[in-house]
């Protein structure tokens, strides 16, 4: 019997992965969810349309090379099938002038054991992104009799899914930080919405970031859908645009996590880690002071690494401080140039989605304390 899909965490030995592609990527028009994400002073405000072909080619060159490097390290690599994203999207509930990309598979696909779930993204432009992965899902379904091919409940994304007048040009960074620290985001709670990259998988425990792309109702959905897992809601004050946990809180091996020093996990949310002998260390500073042009993500993609096994990690090749820290933490570093792909939706971790890691569903948090993160 062929076993294709299995992954319970982000650090056990990686054997099979999906690496995204930049083809046909579009900067989508502003919409209720993204107007909050695009920083006020960003050159991308109000701008949309197909990304420059030269930038697509450069990104693809680095993504292809990343795939090749992973293969050299014994990891099987699959690639999505690009769609034409520069076309109008319409559902009974909303319409938007374009889709986005199939570069960061991590935002769309969540692998839990033998199951891959397509997410319930809060961005309207990303509504059909899962289609780029359908040929692979179909193939895994044919080949692996135990593979569970799942689609999370699709959000309707009507106007009720967002707060209106939430966004205002005059809002300062301080006000923004106050709002996010108070768990006040542009998304409402009328339906579950979540990006797969907000979910940190740790065997029996799922730590999910409550932020711009994932709401509380999603956590409730996870709790009911996986009655045997423990679902935790975490948040990181200090991030004015909290989207995706993987440039904020990144596990390297059982017992060790790096945390963005500007977005520290609050003290009371640390208890579950501390009482189970997990160490949380500040991540190294990024090597760059600015993200590359036309990039949504922050410079903290520096810590968005892909762990290959408990002793090996792939880090973006220009992130000298992060590579040095990995070395000090006892990890062998595989440097991979990927900065030209950042603008398409993220870094080393974002650009991939797990298909197969060795290992099973471990309980890393067996010492259950009074834990305010537990949903
Ligand atoms: O720091 O901008 C990027 C995460 C992308 N998946 C950040 C988060």
């Amino acid at each position: 019997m062929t076993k294709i899909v299995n992954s319970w965490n982000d650090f056990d030995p990686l054997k099979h992965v999906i690496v995204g592609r930049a083809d046909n990527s579009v900067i989508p028009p502003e919409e209720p969810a993204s107007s909050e994400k695009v920083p006020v002073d960003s050159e991308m405000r109000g701008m949309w349309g197909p990304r420059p072909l030269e930038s697509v080619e450069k990104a693809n060159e680095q993504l292809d090379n990343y795939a090749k490097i992973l293969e050299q390290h014994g990891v099987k690599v699959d690639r999505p099938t690009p769609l034409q994203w520069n076309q109008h999207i319409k559902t009974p509930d909303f319409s938007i002038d374009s889709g986005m990309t199939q570069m960061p598979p991590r935002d769309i696909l969540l692998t839990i054991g033998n199951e891959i779930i397509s997410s319930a993204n809060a961005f309207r432009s990303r509504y059909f992104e899962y289609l780029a992965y359908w040929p692979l899902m179909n193939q895994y379904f044919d080949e692996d009799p135990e593979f569970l091919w799942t689609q999370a409940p699709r959000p309707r994304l009507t106007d009720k899914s967002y707060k209106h007048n939430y966004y205002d040009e005059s809002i300062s960074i301080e006000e923004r930080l106050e709002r996010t620290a108070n768990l006040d985001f542009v998304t409402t709670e009328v339906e579950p919405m979540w990006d797969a990259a907000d979910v940190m998988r740790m065997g029996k425990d799922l730590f999910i970031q409550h932020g711009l792309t994932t709401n509380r109702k999603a956590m409730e959905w996870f709790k009911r859908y996986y009655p045997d897992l423990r679902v935790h809601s975490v948040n990181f004050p200090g991030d004015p645009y909290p989207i995706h946990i993987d440039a904020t809180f990144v596990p390297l091996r059982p017992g060790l996590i790096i945390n963005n020093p500007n977005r520290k996990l609050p003290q009371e949310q640390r208890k579950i880690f501390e009482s189970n002998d997990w160490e949380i260390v500040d991540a190294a500073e990024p090597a760059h002071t600015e993200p590359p042009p036309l990039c949504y993500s922050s410079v903290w993609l520096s810590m968005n690494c892909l762990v290959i096994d408990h002793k090996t990690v792939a880090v973006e090749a220009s992130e000298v401080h992060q590579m040095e820290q990995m070395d000090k933490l006892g990890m062998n570093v595989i440097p991979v140039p990927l900065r030209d792909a950042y603008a398409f939706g993220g870094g080393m971790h974002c650009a991939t989605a797990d298909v197969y890691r060795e290992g099973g569903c471990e309980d890393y948090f067996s010492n259950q304390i009074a834990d305010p993160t537990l949903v």
Side-chain angles (χ1 to χ4, degrees), residues 288-353:
H288 304 270
T289 53
E290 296 290 331
L294 303 179
C295 180
Y296 296 105
S297 306
S298 76
V299 289
W300 290 99
L301 288 181
S302 55
M303 59 183 289
N304 183 258
C305 58
L306 182 71
V307 176
I308 311 289
D309 61 44
H310 297 189
K311 284 186 160 34
T312 316
V313 62
V315 179
E316 205 284 323
S318 69
E319 293 297 345
V320 286
H321 308 309
Q322 191 54 71
M323 289 196 287
E324 191 186 318
Q325 181 188 36
M326 292 296 186
D327 185 57
K328 287 195 181 125
L329 291 170
M331 304 292 286
N332 297 314
V333 177
I334 305 170
V336 179
L338 199 70
R339 207 170 141 79
D340 290 342
Y342 278 12
F344 293 79
M348 307 291 299
H349 188 256
C350 307
T352 62

Side-chain angles (χ1 to χ4, degrees), residues 177-372:
L177 286 169
E178 203 178 304
R179 282 189 191 182
T180 57
N182 290 330
L183 302 176
D184 177 13
F185 305 111
V186 69
T187 38
T188 63
E189 294 289 338
V190 299
E191 59 185 349
M193 295 190 279
W194 55 277
D195 275 16
D198 278 317
V199 183
M200 187 177 81
R201 305 160 304 136
M202 293 265 205
K204 272 189 86 69
D205 293 82
L206 300 176
F207 293 89
I208 309 181
Q209 173 172 248
H210 185 192
L212 296 181
T213 39
T214 296
N215 63 8
R216 278 295 294 207
K217 205 164 190 168
M219 317 237 183
E220 183 60 30
W221 180 82
F222 274 102
K223 187 181 161 178
R224 293 189 207 177
Y225 190 73
Y226 288 114
D228 296 336
L229 302 185
R230 292 177 295 246
V231 176
H232 306 260
S233 176
V234 290
N235 70 290
F236 300 89
D239 187 355
Y241 306 98
I243 166 171
H244 305 163
I245 199 165
D246 57 355
T248 296
F249 203 58
V250 175
L252 299 184
R253 57 176 179 252
L256 181 62
I257 296 180
I258 53 172
N259 186 189
N260 188 317
N262 294 355
R263 310 171 183 169
K264 289 195 188 211
L265 185 68
Q267 207 48 48
E268 64 281 5
Q269 297 181 37
R270 289 178 178 246
K271 287 183 196 152
I272 182 68
F273 295 95
E274 288 163 355
S275 61
N276 285 280
D277 295 328
W278 281 71
E279 195 187 353
I280 299 174
V281 303
D282 281 354
E285 288 293 319
H288 304 270
T289 53
E290 296 290 331
L294 303 179
C295 180
Y296 296 105
S297 306
S298 76
V299 289
W300 290 99
L301 288 181
S302 55
M303 59 183 289
N304 183 258
C305 58
L306 182 71
V307 176
I308 311 289
D309 61 44
H310 297 189
K311 284 186 160 34
T312 316
V313 62
V315 179
E316 205 284 323
S318 69
E319 293 297 345
V320 286
H321 308 309
Q322 191 54 71
M323 289 196 287
E324 191 186 318
Q325 181 188 36
M326 292 296 186
D327 185 57
K328 287 195 181 125
L329 291 170
M331 304 292 286
N332 297 314
V333 177
I334 305 170
V336 179
L338 199 70
R339 207 170 141 79
D340 290 342
Y342 278 12
F344 293 79
M348 307 291 299
H349 188 256
C350 307
T352 62
D354 284 23
V355 180
Y356 193 95
R357 284 183 193 264
E358 289 175 359
C361 180
E362 303 290 331
D363 188 350
Y364 302 103
F365 298 92
S366 55
N367 183 18
Q368 284 292 302
I369 47 132
D371 171 19

Side-chain angles (χ1 to χ4, degrees), residues 67-221:
K68 204 181 293 166
I69 291 172
L70 289 170
E71 281 166 351
Q72 283 161 0
H73 285 83
V75 182
K76 181 175 160 54
V77 178
D78 285 333
R79 312 297 299 276
T81 305
L83 270 78
Q84 179 48 263
W85 298 111
N86 187 23
Q87 55 178 314
H88 191 84
I89 288 173
K90 184 157 172 40
T91 75
D93 293 308
F94 68 84
S95 84
I96 184 162
D97 281 319
S98 82
M100 194 167 133
T101 186
Q102 65 286 300
M103 182 345 235
R106 191 67 66 174
D107 299 1
I108 307 296
L109 302 177
L110 182 68
T111 311
I112 297 186
N114 61 342
E115 181 166 24
I116 300 181
I117 313 181
S118 302
S119 53
N121 307 84
F123 282 45
R124 289 171 172 171
S125 55
R126 308 194 75 175
Y127 195 77
F128 288 116
E129 219 168 284
Y130 72 99
L131 292 175
Y133 307 100
W134 237 225
L136 289 175
M137 297 302 111
N138 207 15
Q139 182 192 330
Y140 303 158
F141 189 75
D142 285 342
E143 291 171 0
D144 178 350
E146 291 182 343
F147 170 47
L148 298 180
W149 179 8
T150 304
Q151 171 67 59
R154 310 239 53 206
R156 295 185 70 169
L157 307 182
T158 70
D159 287 344
K160 294 197 179 79
S161 294
Y162 313 96
K163 291 176 195 163
H164 298 277
N165 305 321
Y166 177 91
Y167 167 69
D168 167 2
E169 287 289 341
S170 65
I171 178 175
S172 65
I173 281 286
E174 289 68 33
E175 284 169 285
R176 212 172 260 282
L177 286 169
E178 203 178 304
R179 282 189 191 182
T180 57
N182 290 330
L183 302 176
D184 177 13
F185 305 111
V186 69
T187 38
T188 63
E189 294 289 338
V190 299
E191 59 185 349
M193 295 190 279
W194 55 277
D195 275 16
D198 278 317
V199 183
M200 187 177 81
R201 305 160 304 136
M202 293 265 205
K204 272 189 86 69
D205 293 82
L206 300 176
F207 293 89
I208 309 181
Q209 173 172 248
H210 185 192
L212 296 181
T213 39
T214 296
N215 63 8
R216 278 295 294 207
K217 205 164 190 168
M219 317 237 183
E220 183 60 30
W221 180 82

